[in-house]
Amino acid sequence: MIKATSKVGDTKNALRYEVQDMEETISGKADHGYLAYSRDVMAIMTQLREEWGMTYPEEE
């Protein structure tokens, strides 16, 4: 199980912090360990959408 932690900062910048962490991970500058977690979350969300019959407009 991956445990996600974040540094304390201004909550209005939370999305910015997430994007910075992802950019650092993708570029290889850091390994924040979120990529596997993000893949798991996306897989769960995709499975739920399929079970519920939900589609995005571009999928139709």
Side-chain angles (χ1 to χ4, degrees):
M1 174 178 209
I2 296 174
K3 201 179 245 190
T5 59
S6 62
K7 299 174 187 168
V8 175
D10 192 347
T11 56
K12 70 180 179 188
N13 293 322
L15 182 57
R16 181 182 311 198
Y17 302 144
E18 293 291 332
V19 171
Q20 287 172 336
D21 282 353
M22 184 59 73
E23 287 176 345
E24 290 174 1
T25 300
I26 291 170
S27 69
K29 292 179 184 176
D31 182 7
H32 297 288
Y34 302 128
L35 192 54
Y37 178 76
S38 296
R39 286 182 184 146
D40 290 345
V41 170
M42 291 302 297
I44 292 168
M45 292 173 67
T46 298
Q47 181 180 354
L48 289 172
R49 280 191 323 105
E50 290 172 356
E51 289 177 10
W52 296 340
M54 295 175 64
T55 59
Y56 293 114
E58 62 270 8
E59 292 178 317
E60 297 175 359

